[in-house]
Amino acid sequence: MTFTFTEKHIRRMFELANFEVPEDEMVFFGLRGSSPVTNEGVFDDSHVLIELGTDWTHQRCTIGQWLPGKSFAIHTASTVPNIVSVRKKINNNGYGVNMLAPCYLTDLPGTSDHRYTKGDHGLTSKLGPHRAFRNANKLPVWRTGDDDDYEGDDRLVYESAFDNLHCSRHMDSTTPGYSSFGCQVVAGAAGRRTSNPGGEKGSWKAFVNAAYALSQHSFRYALFNQGEALRTATLGVSKRSPTVRFGSTGDLVLHLQEALVDGGFNVGRSGPDGILGFKTLEAIRDIQLEAFGASGVDLVCGQATAAEIGIDWPAAVGKKPEPVHDLENGALGAIDLLDEGAGPEIDDKDMEVFFVTPTRETKPNGKVRWVFEDPVDKTRRYVGGEAKLQGFRGLARIRGFDAEKAPVYDHKDWIEQFGAWAAVIEPTGLGESQNSFTCLNSYDRAAFTFGFYQLAAHTANDNLILLFRKLLESAEASRYFPDLRLIGGKVHKETTSGAVSLEGAQRRVDGNNRVGEQGGFMDYLNGDMNSVDPAELQAASRLIHWAVHSEEHRSIQVEVAVELARKKVKRIADRMSGQGTSLDGRPVREVALALDILHNGRGGSETFPRIGRALKSDDPMAELSKIGCTDIFAGRIDRVRKAAERIQKLKRLKGLRYDVASNDFV
């Protein structure tokens, strides 16, 4: 689920957690399980985030920089260790890897200063040191020596874990991998050490430059649990009850500590002092473990934990206490989002950015497919089955599951708008996709092909990029592709370093394209042509959902198909004079079949001479049907020819013939 997160929300989260808010310095914060959608590295008073939850493989968190009362910047990050790192250390009883507990790292009275300070990370690394933010003080961290998760029955320790805040050495959140054994990491490439700075790339470059530009030497850090930012933004700033955790201070902490002491718990040498340190945190863990089980321990005391202790706890302003245990902020092991009926109503005009997480399924025959639940109508939608071709691997989808009732192109729905051309494109649509508006494939060299007319991503200034140009003019575009926009009529992607064009001849990162192909656009839609990757799953899901639920989207598909068909037919007409014949005066069926040859690329280098010879023959339809008629295309050609014969009989097309001068049917 996506949500708009504002500077007001950050302040409210600090206040609710009973964290001191400094007004004259930059503060770092981490949002576990929430990822930036757009505008990374830019200081503003609001940003769009998406709650994906952590998977320990991809960078699915946010680390932000907040200037209280002014603005904040967000960065793709991870606040949990990489699963590969965790598994490496299980046999070492978890030593060498950890997960930082939700906390506020600040200069707590009577304890050490936990803040991050400017300094180099990786002093002994083979990769070399780079400027970062160091922490050599004791921290509350989890360690696991039995399995690869962190839950309430794992070891909660207070140690100098040397969890720095540094570069993840991994640029892309959509592909697996990042460097963390417990450190907080921001996506990007590392630069050089403090004494010789520079060279950073990605979001990390913006992060480190913004902080190092300040005279401020040390930085407080607040780490929030999964779902907490989403909950604050969705319920509103006045509809959450307060909580306390490591680093919280004040009367509510004192109230909790006094009750814990009365219950026989140890809250530290000084007794109840209004400062939530590690001993008080241990008591919270013990209570939650007994009451809620290992998966219910989130180390945050709210209403439910307070109820287990037997003390009153403040409710949200204007709201009765909510029946949640401290999965109020999401347990460490799971994402606990809002009950569907608990939050405020959302006006349709303010719909969130569309996002789903497709699920991988293995069918009884061993084949793999991906599906998602449609958030609008709860329909189980098919994204595609995994397919391979010419060494590439990706998705293949035509119409999806029968129950989907996915939309299909029918010329009768569009003939009033597009005239004879609505019928002319139907045979090719049938051959390409069974006329399915949601047909797609991402398993061949084109990287990504979509729609009933099957428009491919690899061709510059043609096909799918033309569809995206028109789609991005729609008011609906910001819901489905919020990181794309048109600049000078061309498709650009917003990045931390500004807008980058996805058009024109560009090389793919993995090199899987030919000279002249637009690798930037291919990369955006399909990041890895050798596997089914998150980028193509998300692009496919968004396009499928958009086509299913939007008549405007389908109309744009038809408009682009008609434009392309008219260009191709004109190209054929222009070339026929050199073949000693003409397309002028030809019936609709012959034009439709010739169009399909060019669209499908069946004629090779002899396309136009072969079309010319067919048109001069006694039976043009029979001869056109022979062009490129291999075993692979025989079935398609037969279907397209029969469809072309059918449209010729339509009452609306009776007597119409192609006119070269107008490139139309008269």
Side-chain angles (χ1 to χ4, degrees):
M1 180 178 180
T2 58
F3 57 98
T4 299
F5 191 64
T6 69
E7 201 265 347
K8 188 176 182 180
H9 290 142
I10 299 176
R11 180 175 292 276
R12 184 58 173 158
M13 287 175 69
F14 271 67
E15 292 171 347
L16 285 168
N18 288 272
F19 293 164
E20 178 189 2
V21 179
E23 301 296 342
D24 56 354
E25 61 183 70
M26 178 183 283
V27 180
F28 297 162
F29 63 90
L31 307 178
R32 187 162 276 164
S34 295
S35 303
V37 174
T38 58
N39 218 25
E40 280 191 72
V42 176
F43 280 86
D44 205 342
D45 60 4
S46 70
H47 298 279
V48 177
L49 300 174
I50 186 163
E51 182 72 21
L52 295 176
T54 54
D55 68 355
W56 311 83
T57 301
H58 299 81
Q59 297 176 94
R60 288 189 170 181
C61 303
T62 291
I63 294 181
Q65 296 169 302
W66 179 34
L67 298 171
K70 298 177 182 177
S71 60
F72 68 105
I74 56 174
H75 305 266
T76 294
S78 182
T79 66
V80 300
N82 190 305
I83 192 64
V84 176
S85 304
V86 176
R87 290 170 179 164
K88 282 181 179 179
K89 300 296 183 180
I90 289 176
N91 291 335
N92 194 36
N93 200 26
Y95 288 106
V97 66
N98 69 82
M99 186 173 77
L100 185 63
C103 59
Y104 190 30
L105 303 183
T106 183
D107 49 345
L108 296 178
T111 68
S112 60
D113 187 343
H114 295 278
R115 294 196 247 192
Y116 285 109
T117 60
K118 294 177 181 177
D120 297 331
H121 172 78
L123 298 177
T124 61
S125 170
K126 294 179 181 179
L127 298 174
H130 67 272
R131 59 176 178 164
F133 305 89
R134 297 184 60 79
N135 191 308
N137 298 298
K138 289 184 177 181
L139 303 174
V141 298
W142 292 105
R143 296 195 189 278
T144 179
D146 57 349
D147 53 29
D148 58 10
D149 62 14
Y150 293 91
E151 293 187 316
D153 55 358
D154 287 313
R155 300 193 323 279
L156 179 64
V157 297
Y158 189 51
E159 298 175 350
S160 296
F162 300 98
D163 280 352
N164 296 333
L165 195 165
H166 64 86
C167 172
S168 74
R169 303 184 188 270
H170 193 83
M171 297 283 285
D172 189 359
S173 64
T174 65
T175 58
Y178 57 89
S179 176
S180 173
F181 281 80
C183 291
Q184 309 296 283
V185 295
V186 174
R192 298 181 291 276
R193 63 187 307 163
T194 309
S195 59
N196 185 24
E200 292 86 2
K201 295 181 181 178
S203 203
W204 173 247
K205 178 179 181 179
F207 187 97
V208 72
N209 281 345
Y212 268 76
L214 303 176
S215 58
Q216 180 180 338
H217 182 65
S218 64
F219 300 83
R220 307 174 199 232
Y221 178 59
L223 175 59
F224 296 95
N225 263 335
Q226 287 184 193
E228 200 163 356
L230 171 63
R231 192 172 179 82
T232 304
T234 307
L235 287 178
V237 296
S238 63
K239 295 182 179 180
R240 285 188 55 219
S241 60
T243 61
V244 294
R245 67 201 76 187
F246 184 90
S248 297
T249 57
D251 292 341
L252 196 56
V253 175
L254 183 62
H255 176 53
L256 169 65
Q257 290 174 323
E258 289 173 342
L260 289 172
V261 170
D262 289 343
F265 290 94
N266 179 9
V267 296
R269 291 181 181 177
S270 59
D273 58 3
I275 302 168
L276 206 158
F278 186 70
K279 285 298 181 181
T280 305
L281 185 67
E282 279 189 314
I284 292 172
R285 187 274 310 273
D286 293 344
I287 291 166
Q288 291 183 338
L289 182 60
E290 181 177 353
F292 310 130
S295 64
V297 176
D298 68 357
L299 302 179
V300 174
C301 181
Q303 291 177 349
T305 302
E308 292 296 325
I309 300 169
I311 58 175
D312 294 330
W313 199 260
V317 176
K319 188 176 181 180
K320 64 182 180 181
E322 300 171 45
V324 294
H325 80 53
D326 286 335
L327 298 176
E328 126 94 17
N329 296 310
L332 294 174
I335 312 168
D336 187 37
L337 302 183
L338 295 171
D339 184 292
E340 288 298 319
E345 293 184 3
I346 300 174
D347 194 322
D348 286 343
K349 70 178 183 297
D350 296 321
M351 290 293 287
E352 302 284 354
V353 173
F354 175 82
F355 192 93
V356 292
T357 303
T359 302
R360 186 179 188 269
E361 297 181 346
T362 301
K363 300 194 296 183
N365 62 6
K367 293 185 177 180
V368 173
R369 67 187 179 196
W370 294 82
V371 302
F372 71 90
E373 182 183 271
D374 191 318
V376 172
D377 57 17
K378 305 306 178 185
T379 297
R380 185 167 178 266
R381 298 204 179 278
Y382 184 66
V383 183
E386 290 196 6
K388 294 187 292 185
L389 182 68
Q390 300 169 342
F392 301 114
R393 182 188 295 269
L395 300 167
R397 170 197 163 98
I398 300 180
R399 295 191 183 187
F401 299 124
D402 291 341
E404 289 188 48
K405 298 180 180 179
V408 175
Y409 177 78
D410 186 332
H411 74 273
K412 294 190 292 293
D413 299 328
W414 307 96
I415 201 163
E416 293 296 333
Q417 184 175 354
F418 297 102
W421 289 100
V424 172
I425 64 174
E426 189 171 81
T428 291
L430 180 67
E432 288 286 339
S433 68
Q434 297 180 26
N435 274 316
S436 169
F437 278 107
T438 58
C439 181
L440 71 89
N441 83 70
S442 59
Y443 58 79
D444 62 19
R445 184 169 288 281
F448 201 97
T449 304
F450 183 74
F452 85 98
Y453 217 57
Q454 282 294 271
L455 305 177
H458 66 303
T459 51
N461 203 36
D462 201 359
N463 292 307
L464 192 59
I465 199 70
L466 301 183
L467 178 67
F468 264 71
R469 289 178 190 171
K470 289 186 179 294
L471 288 174
L472 291 178
E473 293 175 348
S474 166
E476 300 169 348
S478 60
R479 182 184 183 199
Y480 290 98
F481 293 95
D483 56 341
L484 298 185
R485 65 187 177 106
L486 292 176
I487 300 178
K490 299 296 179 68
V491 178
H492 286 67
K493 178 186 177 183
E494 294 284 2
T495 72
T496 55
S497 56
V500 175
S501 175
L502 299 182
E503 297 206 28
Q506 301 168 343
R507 294 289 291 168
R508 280 181 60 95
V509 173
D510 62 9
N512 280 322
N513 63 331
R514 296 187 177 104
V515 175
E517 293 180 345
Q518 49 190 13
F521 190 46
M522 296 163 73
D523 273 329
Y524 177 81
L525 296 171
N526 183 353
D528 183 355
M529 291 170 65
N530 298 312
S531 68
V532 175
D533 64 87
E536 72 191 279
L537 283 169
Q538 200 55 225
S541 301
R542 287 176 172 179
L543 286 167
I544 290 166
H545 191 272
W546 197 354
V548 166
H549 290 286
S550 170
E551 184 175 349
E552 181 185 15
H553 174 109
R554 298 192 293 275
S555 179
I556 291 172
Q557 277 200 39
V558 179
E559 181 183 349
V560 172
V562 168
E563 289 180 2
L564 290 172
R566 295 191 65 158
K567 289 179 182 178
K568 286 183 171 73
V569 170
K570 186 176 188 308
R571 186 180 173 199
I572 295 170
D574 291 344
R575 296 292 294 271
M576 286 304 98
S577 60
Q579 305 302 320
T581 186
S582 176
L583 206 59
D584 198 45
R586 295 286 175 172
V588 172
R589 63 184 181 183
E590 292 179 13
V591 175
L593 191 49
L595 167 63
D596 187 67
I597 293 168
L598 192 60
H599 186 84
N600 190 221
R602 291 198 299 275
S605 60
E606 291 295 304
T607 295
F608 297 112
R610 296 181 72 177
I611 292 176
R613 290 194 294 270
L615 293 177
K616 289 186 288 185
S617 71
D618 294 335
D619 190 348
M621 289 296 287
E623 295 303 314
L624 287 169
S625 297
K626 295 177 183 178
I627 298 175
C629 189
T630 63
D631 290 342
I632 296 175
F633 294 117
R636 174 199 174 108
I637 293 170
D638 184 58
R639 291 192 299 272
V640 170
R641 176 179 176 172
K642 289 178 180 177
E645 297 283 7
R646 285 196 299 271
I647 65 172
Q648 184 68 58
K649 299 175 183 178
L650 294 174
K651 185 176 181 180
R652 288 286 300 265
L653 302 187
K654 187 176 181 179
L656 293 183
R657 291 183 176 265
Y658 180 72
D659 176 60
V660 170
S662 63
N663 188 30
D664 209 344
F665 293 88
V666 298

